Amino acid sequence: MSVSRFRSRWWPAVLVAAVAAAVAPFAVDFTAGAAPTAVTLPPAGAPFDYQINGGYTPADGVRVVTRDREDVPAEVPYNICYVNAYQIQPEEIGEWDEDLLLQDADGEVIIDEEWDEALLDISTEEKRKAIAEKVNGWIDGCADTEENGFRFQAVEPDNFDSHLRSGGQFGEEEAIAFARLITDHAHEAGLAVGQKNGAELSAERDRTGFDFAIAEQCGQYTECGEYTEVYGDNVIVIEYSADGLESACDGFGDRLSIVQRDKFVVTDTTDGYVRKTCTDVT
């Protein structure tokens, strides 16, 4: 998903001690023989807001917020850092080597036309490592960002499902291999990692290393159960329609963090802004 980026500043922090106590650590050990790395998962079922197109003061009671990697953490108990890991923001395409862009047989860069985003070419181990080096630098930036005592505790690498748009040039195995390069690095930095979409690959958690899930429109497409089968209640749901919100809330409203946002995830002072939760479903 493409977002425009700008920074915001918020009121002084007074809840640092409460933040530390608000969520419990979770030991991650997805590789046999690996030393477990303690990361902190989002509190299951907590009120959530999705602010990847610019931060704003969260509504009362919100405990979990996702913001873009170039934004600052919200003053809430749990913050997730959005990183476009498998595709490229339109304004950033010039920052990538051409050979790392996925191209068709005519040498044309393959674009996710819904968001005008070029796909990254993760078809080979060499290219995956080169792409991961850049993405992991962004993840380090997430881990190092602090504002008024609040920090990011997790990262959301978007477009895990880009293989569905690759024209068959890479598939699930490459997506999984690339995910592992990201999750291992994030865990070393002390960050949990959310599987973003790709419901059909949830069962590969042991191989990807994801800790929880962030699912767009799983209510709309009746996929939420595919995530909960693997991640239990550690699933955050983002819907973009009233029908999707109603479906997600009917099936999982007492278990999961669920929010409806407008498609372009604009700020609360922008025309078209929508934020609804299960309490708004009649």
Side-chain angles (χ1 to χ4, degrees), residues 15 86 91 95 117 160 214 236 245 274:
L15 300 175
Y86 287 75
E91 68 275 13
E95 300 175 14
E117 294 179 351
F160 179 47
I214 301 174
I236 294 170
L245 178 66
V274 173

Side-chain angles (χ1 to χ4, degrees), residues 54 63 76 79 95 105 107 120 148 186 224 234 243 274 279:
R63 297 179 61 204
V76 297
N79 280 275
E95 300 175 14
L120 288 163
N148 294 330
C224 298
N234 294 119
D243 287 346
V274 173
T279 60

Side-chain angles (χ1 to χ4, degrees), residues 270-281:
T270 304
D271 290 344
Y273 168 82
V274 173
R275 181 182 180 272
K276 296 181 179 179
T277 68
C278 292
T279 60
D280 299 303
V281 175

Side-chain angles (χ1 to χ4, degrees), residues 74 76 84 97 117 123 139 164 206 216 218 229 239 242 244 252 264 269:
V76 297
N84 201 349
D97 292 338
E117 294 179 351
S123 62
I139 290 173
L164 299 175
D206 286 351
E216 289 179 301
C218 70
E229 285 179 8
E239 297 292 337
F252 301 92
F264 293 102
T269 58

Side-chain angles (χ1 to χ4, degrees), residues 8-73:
S8 304
R9 294 292 183 265
W10 303 107
W11 33 273
V14 294
L15 300 175
V16 176
V19 170
V23 287
F26 178 80
V28 177
D29 186 2
F30 293 108
T31 303
T37 302
V39 299
T40 303
L41 296 184
F48 170 74
D49 199 3
Y50 203 48
Q51 299 187 3
I52 63 172
N53 206 12
Y56 52 87
T57 304
D60 290 345
V62 168
R63 297 179 61 204
V64 181
V65 169
T66 291
R67 285 185 176 173
D68 184 76
R69 64 181 175 83
E70 292 189 352
D71 210 331
V72 296

Side-chain angles (χ1 to χ4, degrees), residues 139-155:
I139 290 173
D140 289 339
C142 294
D144 292 340
T145 299
E146 180 177 345
E147 181 76 359
N148 294 330
F150 291 83
R151 307 182 69 92
F152 290 111
Q153 293 107 310
V155 63

Side-chain angles (χ1 to χ4, degrees), residues 196-229:
K196 179 66 175 297
N197 298 329
E200 69 281 359
L201 295 181
S202 297
E204 301 294 341
R205 179 187 184 185
D206 286 351
R207 298 171 62 201
T208 60
F210 290 124
D211 307 303
F212 64 100
I214 301 174
E216 289 179 301
Q217 298 177 279
C218 70
Q220 186 75 35
Y221 298 110
T222 61
E223 295 176 336
C224 298
E226 295 183 50
Y227 295 101
T228 58
E229 285 179 8

Side-chain angles (χ1 to χ4, degrees), residues 30-190:
F30 293 108
T31 303
T37 302
V39 299
T40 303
L41 296 184
F48 170 74
D49 199 3
Y50 203 48
Q51 299 187 3
I52 63 172
N53 206 12
Y56 52 87
T57 304
D60 290 345
V62 168
R63 297 179 61 204
V64 181
V65 169
T66 291
R67 285 185 176 173
D68 184 76
R69 64 181 175 83
E70 292 189 352
D71 210 331
V72 296
E75 301 211 3
V76 297
Y78 198 94
N79 280 275
I80 302 170
C81 186
Y82 173 93
V83 172
N84 201 349
Y86 287 75
Q87 298 184 181
I88 303 174
Q89 307 291 129
E91 68 275 13
E92 294 179 347
I93 191 169
E95 300 175 14
W96 288 87
D97 292 338
E98 187 175 348
D99 67 341
L100 297 180
L101 308 181
L102 189 66
Q103 301 173 32
D104 63 20
D106 297 322
E108 297 293 326
V109 175
I110 296 178
I111 301 293
D112 175 355
E113 295 187 358
E114 182 173 8
W115 300 107
D116 192 28
E117 294 179 351
L119 271 67
L120 288 163
D121 186 353
I122 59 169
S123 62
T124 70
E125 181 179 7
E126 181 181 7
K127 290 184 177 184
R128 288 193 293 274
K129 288 181 177 178
I131 295 167
E133 182 176 0
K134 190 177 186 75
V135 173
N136 285 339
W138 296 340
I139 290 173
D140 289 339
C142 294
D144 292 340
T145 299
E146 180 177 345
E147 181 76 359
N148 294 330
F150 291 83
R151 307 182 69 92
F152 290 111
Q153 293 107 310
V155 63
E156 174 191 328
D158 199 8
N159 292 304
F160 179 47
D161 59 352
S162 71
H163 61 280
L164 299 175
R165 299 178 287 280
S166 73
Q169 295 198 55
F170 61 83
E172 295 180 354
E173 288 301 312
E174 289 79 10
I176 291 167
F178 183 67
R180 195 55 189 244
L181 295 176
I182 296 171
T183 57
D184 282 351
H185 187 88
H187 291 155
E188 290 174 3

